[in-house]
Amino acid sequence: MIAHHQILVNLGRAVAGSAAVLAYCQAHFGRGLLVHVGAYADKIPGEAESPFLWIFAEGQNSTIAKDESLVATFIVGACPLSSRGERVIENEIAARTDDANGLVVSGGGALIEDLRDLILETVRAARPGARVASFTRSENNLAHQPLEWAVFEVELVLDISLDEIGG
């Protein structure tokens, strides 16, 4: 049976090898993605590593009859750049005046969510030694500008044959 760590490494290789992820990161963040698998020496990557994908698993993994599962966490972080090279992006949708309410939207969050979803599609298409059973996504709605981040978790299932469980 394949080790959980190797599954995470295989997922990291799939994302690092994605031409679509590279092109997206170059266009929106000025350089390629740093993919980091496992424990991170400084607890969590920051602005200097932007853009980054941190892949890790923690906690209990379960064994149920014939299937073993692994939950992997993926944290995507980056400092989005505007077309003028600015690190904080705000899009004014409507100016506030004496007679009208205004609307300003942080443009960085959408870029990070799009990158997260592109990486998720890469993970779903990968063959890391286990199959994707389910996934959840979440966003950082309160920005830590200029670093924006989004997260997804993937439950992976390793199918075990009856021979492996002594049946």
Side-chain angles (χ1 to χ4, degrees):
M1 177 170 41
I2 188 169
H4 290 179
H5 180 75
Q6 187 60 52
I7 292 168
L8 298 178
V9 170
N10 292 348
L11 290 168
R13 284 187 174 136
V15 175
S18 168
V21 169
L22 174 61
Y24 188 89
C25 288
Q26 288 173 324
H28 297 288
F29 312 117
R31 62 182 177 173
L33 183 73
L34 171 64
V35 178
H36 190 95
V37 178
Y40 197 81
D42 294 328
K43 303 286 185 205
I44 186 166
E47 292 177 38
E49 290 83 15
S50 168
F52 65 83
L53 170 64
W54 183 21
I55 305 170
F56 60 92
E58 62 183 349
Q60 296 290 320
N61 296 313
S62 60
T63 302
I64 304 172
K66 69 179 183 78
D67 295 331
E68 182 175 325
S69 67
L70 165 68
V71 177
T73 301
F74 297 73
I75 299 176
V76 180
C79 299
L81 299 173
S82 72
S83 59
R84 296 185 303 261
E86 299 165 325
R87 292 183 79 179
V88 176
I89 303 171
E90 289 185 343
N91 300 319
E92 184 175 71
I93 306 300
R96 179 178 62 179
T97 67
D98 291 341
D99 301 321
N101 294 324
L103 175 61
V104 176
V105 176
S106 170
L111 292 173
I112 300 304
E113 288 179 36
D114 289 347
L115 175 58
R116 180 217 37 219
D117 292 345
L118 179 60
I119 292 170
L120 178 55
E121 288 306 313
T122 302
V123 166
R124 290 177 71 189
R127 295 181 180 261
R131 63 183 164 84
V132 173
S134 65
F135 63 89
T136 58
R137 300 181 296 180
S138 61
E139 294 81 31
N140 168 23
N141 292 324
L142 299 173
H144 295 88
Q145 293 178 344
L147 183 66
E148 301 269 355
W149 55 271
V151 177
F152 67 95
E153 289 186 336
V154 175
E155 181 183 9
L156 298 146
V157 176
L158 291 74
D159 294 319
I160 301 171
S161 73
L162 292 176
D163 293 336
E164 291 177 284
I165 60 172

